[in-house]
Structure formats: structure tokens, C-alpha cells
Amino acid sequence: MRHGRRLVGGTAAALLMVTSLIGAAPSAAAAAVTPALTAAVTAKLLGSAELSVAGARPETRVTVSRTSGRWAFGTAVALAPRQEDAHPTGSIFIARSEPAGWRIAFDGEAAFGALAAESPLTTAQERDVLTTTPSPMYAGGDYRTGMALPFGVGQTWTLTSGPHGWGGTESPYSSVDLAGGDQVVRAARAGAAYTMCQGWIRVIHDRGYSTDYYHLWNSISVNGASVGQGAVLGNTGTDVTCGGAAYGRHVHFGLRQNSAYVPIAGHDIGKWVLANGAAAYQGGARHGSAWAGAGGGLYNYGALGFNQGVVDANGGGALTRRAGPGTGYGSLGSVADGATVTISCSANGTSHTGRYGTTALWNRLSDGSWVSDAYLSTGVNGPVNGWC
């Protein structure tokens, strides 16, 4: 068994994109925490998560961490057996009792933001993240995350397993396994952090993204705490309190957007672009023209800004900077493969073919020089900072 591989499987959770209105409403004098609330949250959880074992009802854990009148806030987790081909699923929920029953929304759903904006249970810091209107999914061509790798900037860790499912071999390949360095797991981007259960932290970020960190030892206990990029979440470990199996200490790092796990491939994290392999746990990541496969080392360069790109000369070497958007303009020097550049605006010019295809788009850099977009990795198939 490979070191760090998370030996779990099953199908990914497909969280419903609607609110639930279920369970008998409590009387006006009743406290928010009632058996009806627990039953309603459990029913929504089980209705939105495919079971790991056909026909079996998983053990669930609903934790109501905050209440106020008719409002409740907490986490709901469907635990999994501690074995291969099993994985936990879970969500953060906001609930409000109404005459017809409990209205419940899970994190990432459109209604979650609306309830978070109204709820007296959410802090001002949480609302900044929880009420943000999700951006279009990566399918719209925007793969930017603004995330670093989930460990210290400047460290090199081992990519013990390439892209694979949150639970193992199932699609989408949303996750990677990382180990080494100082073994301190850190938030990939600022956000609101929540303990799903021991060893499992979720951080909700802006733009509809969230990240999951599993198998942690010494994980922090948080209930919506505001964390900055690089905040300590715990240490790599083999904790399987929520279920599944793990061999060799590591962090199982998963990417979510708009309430579901999404393919991590194509996303820039720590200035590396993740890529799938022929099968789960294969694949790797690319920084410029440099490639690191499963078992290779990833240096954490930090987050790529939303108006930045990484030079990919498609084979090494350097990229010529021009005085205008085309090869007919004079040379102003060069920029090395793998370097980070900041883009001021874009325009069309001469056409060129890079790693990801042919384009006539050119980018004016912050120093006034121009480079072809064919040789930049920006996370967007088009201008990242408007037209010149």
C-alpha cells in the first residue's frame, strides 16, 4: 500500500441544491433544539448523500452548536465504517422553524447564504463568506482559487497520491494526499472554519469554494472561527474518527464548490495546476513547465493572485517580453519559465500555440511589457484583468 494513500472509496456526496422544509414546527415557546430538528437535519443529510453500503443506514451525528429562538446552526455528518470503500459525508447547516416545519439549508446551497444573512447566529465575519454569491462553476472557464497549498509557504511536501475522489476511486477526483515538511496543516485560503468531527476540518472560502482537511491529529476545535490563509488547522495524521481508513500520516485535502466536491484538476493551488492521471491516485501537478507526479515534491509558492499568471514556456527556457501585443514589436527582455507575473490588461495580437492550445490574446504586464497568453497559466481562458 502506498504511503499516504487514503484507502477509502464509494461514491461522492451529491448535496441537494434546494432547501428542505421538513419536520413538525415547534411551538413559539419551544427551544430551537428539538428531536424534530435533529430528525429533519438527518433526513436531509441522508437524502442528499449516497450511502456507502447499499441498503444500509449510516450512523449520523447532528451537532447543534448554536441556537436562538427559532434559529439553529450546526454540523451534520454521516459517519462511515472504518474500512476501505467507505467515507464520511457532511455539511454545515442553518435551520429556521416556520409554521410548516424546519427550513434547513446546507453550506454551498444558494439558500444557505440567504439564511446566513438573516440569522442572528452568524457573526459579521462569517457573513462575509457565507453570504457571498457563488461565482460560476469552473465549467464557465474560471479555475482561479486564490489558494496556497495546505502547508507552510516555502516548504516542500510530498504529493503522496495524485487526484482522486473524496472517498477514493469515485469521481469527481476532488482530492490529493500530502505529507512531509513540518507536518503542520494550514488553511489554503482565508475563510470560516468548522470542525466536522475529530480530525476533519472544513474551511468555507469566498467565491463558493470550501476545502476539507481529513486525518488530522491535534486538529483545532472551531465553530465558525475566522481564519487567515496559513492558519494552523492541525497536524498530518491517520485519524479516522469519521470513518474510512488511512495508512501513513498525511492530510487528505479536498476541494468543494457550490455544495459539492468538484474536480481539483485544472485548479491552481500554491501556483501548481493539478492534473488527473489515467486512474485515481495517479496524475500530479505542474508549475510552469515543471511536472511533479505522485510521489514527487511540491514547493508551496503561495497563492496566485487573481490578476497574475505563471509563465509556462511549454518546455522550459524563457518567454520574450515585447513592446506591444505581437512578435512584430521589439524585445524588452525575457521572463523565466515558472516566474509569476502580474497582468494589467489584455489585447489581441499575433496568434501563438502553447501547452493548452492556440490564442491571439496578449497580456500587458505591470512593467508595461507584453507576453502571449499562450505561455501563461492564469486559471482563466481569457482576460484576467479586463481589456486594454
Side-chain angles (χ1 to χ4, degrees):
M1 298 179 182
R2 292 197 300 273
H3 169 76
R5 172 170 173 174
R6 182 171 183 270
L7 299 177
V8 289
T11 52
L15 299 181
L16 298 177
M17 298 300 290
V18 295
T19 56
S20 292
L21 192 59
I22 46 184
S27 68
V33 182
T34 66
L37 170 61
T38 301
V41 173
T42 301
K44 180 174 174 66
L45 176 67
L46 296 180
S48 61
E50 297 183 23
L51 304 186
S52 299
V53 181
R57 177 188 173 95
E59 179 185 352
T60 58
R61 182 181 298 161
V62 174
T63 302
V64 180
S65 56
R66 309 176 211 171
T67 63
S68 178
R70 291 181 174 274
W71 291 88
F73 187 103
T75 57
V77 174
L79 306 182
R82 296 186 182 182
Q83 62 186 46
E84 295 184 37
D85 300 321
H87 64 284
T89 58
S91 294
I92 298 152
F93 72 85
I94 297 178
R96 182 182 65 195
S97 65
E98 299 182 349
W102 283 100
R103 182 174 294 276
I104 301 165
F106 284 168
D107 64 282
E109 297 177 337
F112 185 83
L115 287 179
E118 297 179 41
S119 176
L121 301 176
T122 55
T123 66
Q125 292 84 357
E126 281 181 295
R127 291 192 195 101
D128 287 342
V129 177
L130 303 184
T131 62
T132 300
T133 301
S135 294
M137 292 288 280
Y138 57 88
D142 188 346
Y143 286 75
R144 294 175 294 178
T145 67
M147 296 179 189
L149 286 163
F151 52 87
V153 173
Q155 292 190 26
T156 298
W157 283 28
T158 300
L159 179 70
T160 57
S161 297
H164 54 284
W166 172 247
T169 58
E170 87 289 346
S171 295
Y173 292 171
S174 63
S175 310
V176 294
D177 294 333
L178 297 155
D182 61 3
Q183 304 286 2
V184 177
V185 178
R186 299 175 181 272
R189 184 167 173 79
Y194 301 87
T195 298
M196 303 302 293
C197 67
Q198 182 178 314
W200 179 10
I201 302 293
R202 174 169 297 168
V203 181
I204 300 179
H205 313 286
D206 52 4
R207 304 177 70 248
Y209 282 108
S210 60
T211 47
D212 278 8
Y213 311 75
Y214 192 36
H215 302 317
L216 302 182
W217 287 340
N218 305 318
S219 59
I220 61 175
S221 179
V222 280
N223 179 20
S226 179
V227 296
Q229 189 169 70
V232 174
L233 303 179
N235 300 102
T236 58
T238 56
D239 188 278
V240 289
T241 301
C242 301
Y247 300 90
R249 63 182 298 183
H250 66 283
V251 59
H252 183 63
F253 175 71
L255 182 67
R256 294 165 57 87
Q257 189 179 27
N258 299 354
S259 85
Y261 292 104
V262 294
I264 200 168
H267 288 90
D268 183 288
I269 300 176
K271 299 185 182 179
W272 291 85
V273 179
L274 280 298
N276 291 337
Y281 299 101
Q282 298 178 15
R286 187 179 301 280
H287 173 78
S289 296
W291 170 260
L298 298 185
Y299 178 86
N300 191 0
Y301 294 94
L304 185 69
F306 292 121
N307 64 338
Q308 292 184 320
V310 174
V311 175
D312 182 350
N314 197 16
L319 176 62
T320 301
R321 297 183 295 111
R322 298 284 179 178
T327 53
Y329 292 88
S331 171
L332 297 178
S334 63
V335 59
D337 183 85
T340 300
V341 295
T342 300
I343 299 167
S344 298
C345 57
S346 302
N348 286 319
T350 54
S351 183
H352 300 275
T353 301
R355 187 180 307 281
Y356 302 106
T358 301
T359 181
L361 189 70
W362 281 68
N363 299 307
R364 188 170 72 186
L365 305 183
S366 56
D367 64 2
S369 64
W370 292 77
V371 295
S372 169
D373 193 66
Y375 306 107
L376 288 185
S377 173
T378 63
V380 178
N381 186 21
V384 299
N385 204 19
W387 295 95
C388 296

